[in-house]
Amino acid sequence: MMATDLLLQLHEKGVTLSLSNEQDQLRIRGKDQALDDVLMTTLRSCKPVLIGMLKSGEYARYMSDLKKLGKHLALPPNELTAEQRDGIAAQVSGGAANIQDIYPLAPLQEGILFHHRTQRDGDPYLLPVLMEFDTRDRLDCFLAALQQVIARHDILRTAIVWDNLDEPLQVVWRSAPMALEEVSFDAGAGAFADQLAQRYDPRHFRIDVRQAPLMRGFMGEDRHSGRWLLQLLTHHLAMDHTTLAMLVEEIRMIQLGLAAQLPPALPFRHFVAQARLGVSRHEHETFFSDMLADIDEPTAPYGVIDVLGDGSDIEEASLEIAQPLLLRLRRQAREQGVSLASVMHLAWAQVLSKLTGRQDVVFGTVLFGRMDGGDGAERVLGMFINTLPVRVSIDDQSVAQGVRRTHALLTQLLRHEHAPLSTAQRCSGVAAPLPLFSTLLNYRHAQASDAGSAETEWPGVAILKNEERTNFPFMLSVNDHGNALSLSAQVKRVASAERVCQYMQTALEGIVAALETAPQTALAEIGVLSAAERRQVLVEWNATAADYEQDVCLHELFERQAERTPHAVALVHEQRQVSYAELNAQANRLAHHLLALGVAPDVRVAICAERGVEMLVAMLATLKAGGCYVPLDPAYPRERLAYMLADSAPLVALSVGAGRAALDDIGGEVARIDLREQAALWSGQASANPQRHGLTPVHLAYVIYTSGSTGAPKGVMIEQRNAVNFVHW
């Protein structure tokens, strides 16, 4: 039996423990009926562990937790079978005696573990920090201090297990020395720091999260400089940005001889219990259903919906917000009675609306998680942050209304900051496995002690590189330094990270200008293109005017080419080659036949054929006869083909192979011609170009069907002059 299980039994039976004056004997207080032989035998067998817990204060903290949070704090271990307990103990170095506690995962930990397990190469949630030390002694002192911090905090001695369990659990080890490896590299293969960072790059390197602590260290001497480098890898399952900063600060204080001033370490399980028990699942589901139930498509800029990436193929850029703009933003936020974060969320929604063409946009926002994380949450190390969806409408509401509504939504969201993201996504109308969103906004208050700072207060120590990744293809971080504000974008390379930052800045400029002078301006009127880019899109890219022959039809261009190069290959399909002269002659014979059937300018001719020679002959013949063709894909569903036939009302339908089978399945009154089996009908026609009097470039060349906004296909009519323009362009 694990000590935590025994403590739960004692709590339920009203039994308390203390130490005798000699500090090596247990004092047991409880009712006689509670102190049965079985319990006393168990207490004797666990006596050394219990004395250790009493001396360290762990017993007092754990019993205090049980009083505040109830038996749920230790519920998972008691639900485990003996086989499951043995399986967990087998994964712990030192076995069951080295297990301090077991409890479930926090919401974001569940999501991170899911992505960790779906990846095979690399891990986007493994955070690398590359550090440099002027001497080996200084590195050893740093590592010793780091091990002291690990010993202080249970989350730093935590491993994640899931084999043969109903749900993943985190197991706190009593002792968890950090795995450290000294490595050497080829002196002629480039900078040692680059080699170290590349070998243990999270884009291809992983750690076993079933082993505590969830960090690894790789060190070596740079013989060129005489300095020592440490590549420290920490996992997001155990640390968020705040935790990493707190860990570095504790190491610094220990190295400065200030360890006695460190506050008592608080257990991460407080937060887990608070997150799982604070707000009911029903309340979470009601809130997110009200927000998301009618959202049935992902918000995915540039069409990128892959949220299972490994953090590679990412481009990064940063942009400092100018002081005058920052002061204006803060002033308007105060006047509107909202936070600056609310303004940032509205601006990001504005950018996404323009990039996706959607009025209603949904994106993830990173929540701090410590607002309602329980007593002392601001001092607890662990993974507190969570990612949850935000929905913002960029419509005819005013900018002032939009800012206030966004602020109200974020305020409501705080009550649900520990809800699992999977719960929120299930409340939307987006069908799995599609994601609800593919972008994140992370508004964070950056502190001077953050681990990413280029300078530290330690002589001889420097942080050379500090990276942070997620599995999302688009993330914008807003770094609020109090007297400064910066944007950092991590964007999949299909887009430009620098341009995304510029879009955000332009949106902020538009919002603040509207709040200052015209707060009733509709949100939809706020743009994201800078003046230079707007000119590029509207003027420079549209400067395509060119002289070309405009009083000619599309098929006449082909006829001229056939005249110039009659023997050149015009078409290759599989093993068959057709020259311009042969293709022109075949099309002419069919065109004369179509003329005899009554094809004339603007008369539609349906063509249902797979790609091949017959399809090209049919298209050219229709144009030569003066008609316009309507392409029908044989692979379309029967209902779509039937609708297109009825809507376009062709005089005749030309088909072959799979196209004929598709049309035969539909039936109807339209005359049918099989381009292969009935070729004898026009084989005797003239091979010369037919003369079409009255056909002009304003007549139709073809009708193409697209997916209409109503859900039904919509026919788009393309005139001869438009088709000729396409060719010349």
Side-chain angles (χ1 to χ4, degrees), residues 322-623:
Q323 276 295 314
L325 176 57
L326 175 57
L327 294 176
R328 293 166 63 201
L329 286 167
R330 293 198 188 280
R331 184 183 308 114
Q332 288 305 312
R334 287 194 302 271
E335 291 185 5
Q336 296 295 325
V338 302
S339 66
L340 181 58
S342 299
V343 180
M344 292 293 167
H345 280 73
L346 182 61
W348 185 235
Q350 197 79 41
V351 172
L352 295 182
S353 177
K354 302 301 183 184
L355 293 180
T356 61
R358 298 172 60 88
Q359 276 195 340
D360 281 317
V361 296
V362 179
F363 57 93
T365 183
V366 179
L367 297 166
F368 187 50
R370 297 174 186 262
M371 300 296 188
D372 193 27
D375 294 340
E378 73 283 354
R379 294 189 289 111
V380 180
L381 272 65
M383 186 59 189
F384 278 74
I385 64 172
N386 196 10
T387 297
L388 289 174
V390 173
R391 174 184 180 174
V392 180
S393 296
I394 304 299
D395 49 23
D396 291 334
Q397 67 175 312
S398 70
V399 174
Q401 287 175 320
V403 168
R404 290 193 291 269
R405 289 180 182 176
T406 302
H407 182 76
L409 176 60
L410 293 175
T411 302
Q412 295 168 0
L413 189 64
L414 286 177
R415 175 163 176 75
H416 303 273
E417 65 176 342
H418 303 312
L421 176 58
S422 58
T423 297
Q425 293 189 140
R426 284 195 301 269
C427 292
S428 76
V430 177
L434 288 176
L436 177 59
F437 54 85
S438 63
T439 65
L440 289 185
L441 178 68
N442 185 8
Y443 187 98
R444 57 193 185 190
H445 293 274
Q447 304 296 327
S449 60
D450 282 358
S453 301
E455 300 293 335
T456 71
E457 297 181 29
W458 310 329
V461 180
I463 295 177
L464 302 181
K465 193 174 184 181
N466 180 28
E467 291 186 9
E468 190 167 2
R469 289 264 189 264
T470 78
N471 55 285
F472 284 91
F474 294 90
M475 183 174 78
L476 182 75
S477 295
V478 180
N479 308 300
D480 190 341
H481 300 270
N483 60 350
L485 192 77
S486 65
L487 307 175
S488 300
Q490 293 183 348
V491 173
K492 196 171 180 65
R493 292 187 189 277
V494 297
S496 163
E498 181 180 0
R499 183 163 289 172
V500 168
C501 288
Q502 291 170 348
Y503 290 159
M504 184 68 172
Q505 176 175 266
T506 304
L508 290 170
E509 291 170 346
I511 288 173
V512 76
L515 290 174
E516 290 170 339
T517 61
Q520 296 308 309
T521 300
L523 275 175
E525 296 181 15
I526 304 297
V528 301
L529 294 180
S530 65
E533 189 168 357
R534 178 177 291 276
R535 174 175 175 77
Q536 183 184 50
V537 172
L538 297 181
V539 179
E540 295 174 13
W541 286 354
N542 280 316
T544 58
D547 291 331
Y548 68 96
E549 190 177 8
Q550 301 183 41
D551 58 347
V552 66
C553 292
L554 182 60
H555 61 280
E556 292 177 317
L557 297 178
F558 175 80
E559 291 170 352
R560 292 176 183 177
Q561 184 65 35
E563 203 174 311
R564 287 192 297 269
T565 59
H567 303 298
V569 175
L571 174 65
V572 176
H573 179 245
E574 296 178 345
Q575 304 304 315
R576 185 178 176 187
Q577 290 187 356
V578 181
S579 68
Y580 274 97
E582 183 183 355
L583 183 58
N584 193 46
Q586 289 187 40
N588 286 338
R589 285 191 284 270
L590 178 56
H592 286 295
H593 182 68
L594 294 177
L595 282 167
L597 294 178
V599 174
D602 292 344
V603 171
R604 273 84 64 206
V605 175
I607 301 175
C608 191
E610 295 176 316
R611 290 180 179 271
V613 176
E614 288 88 354
M615 184 185 75
L616 261 294
V617 169
M619 292 168 57
L620 283 168
T622 301
L623 294 171

Side-chain angles (χ1 to χ4, degrees), residues 124-130 197 200-203 231-234 236 241 244 311 316 444 451-452 463-470 490:
Y125 288 102
L126 193 58
L127 311 179
V129 179
L130 182 60
Y200 303 106
D201 191 327
R203 292 171 180 82
Q231 178 81 334
L232 187 64
L233 301 174
T234 64
H236 238 328
H241 191 76
L244 185 57
E316 298 185 56
R444 57 193 185 190
I463 295 177
L464 302 181
K465 193 174 184 181
N466 180 28
E467 291 186 9
E468 190 167 2
R469 289 264 189 264
T470 78
Q490 293 183 348

Side-chain angles (χ1 to χ4, degrees), residues 131-140 142 226-230 255 454-464:
M131 305 183 69
E132 183 184 66
F133 301 83
D134 59 354
T135 66
R136 173 63 186 263
D137 286 344
R138 202 177 304 273
L139 169 59
D140 290 341
F142 175 89
R227 293 175 175 267
W228 285 78
L229 299 180
L230 171 67
Q255 290 198 302
E455 300 293 335
T456 71
E457 297 181 29
W458 310 329
V461 180
I463 295 177
L464 302 181

Side-chain angles (χ1 to χ4, degrees), residues 131 133 138-150 152-153 156 178 215 230 232 239 243-259 262 381 458 461:
M131 305 183 69
F133 301 83
R138 202 177 304 273
L139 169 59
D140 290 341
C141 289
F142 175 89
L143 293 172
L146 172 58
Q147 194 60 54
Q148 288 185 54
V149 178
I150 292 173
R152 275 174 44 81
H153 298 280
L156 302 183
M178 186 185 75
M215 61 176 71
L230 171 67
L232 187 64
M239 293 190 191
T243 291
L244 185 57
M246 293 165 65
L247 178 141
V248 171
E249 178 62 14
E250 288 204 6
I251 293 174
R252 186 189 68 85
M253 291 185 66
I254 290 172
Q255 290 198 302
L256 293 176
L258 303 175
L262 292 173
L381 272 65
W458 310 329
V461 180

Side-chain angles (χ1 to χ4, degrees), residues 65-85:
D65 296 339
L66 287 175
K67 290 178 182 178
K68 290 190 294 183
L69 301 171
K71 67 177 182 179
H72 299 286
L73 184 64
L75 184 58
N78 286 296
E79 293 178 340
L80 297 174
T81 65
E83 182 180 357
Q84 288 173 325
R85 293 167 188 255

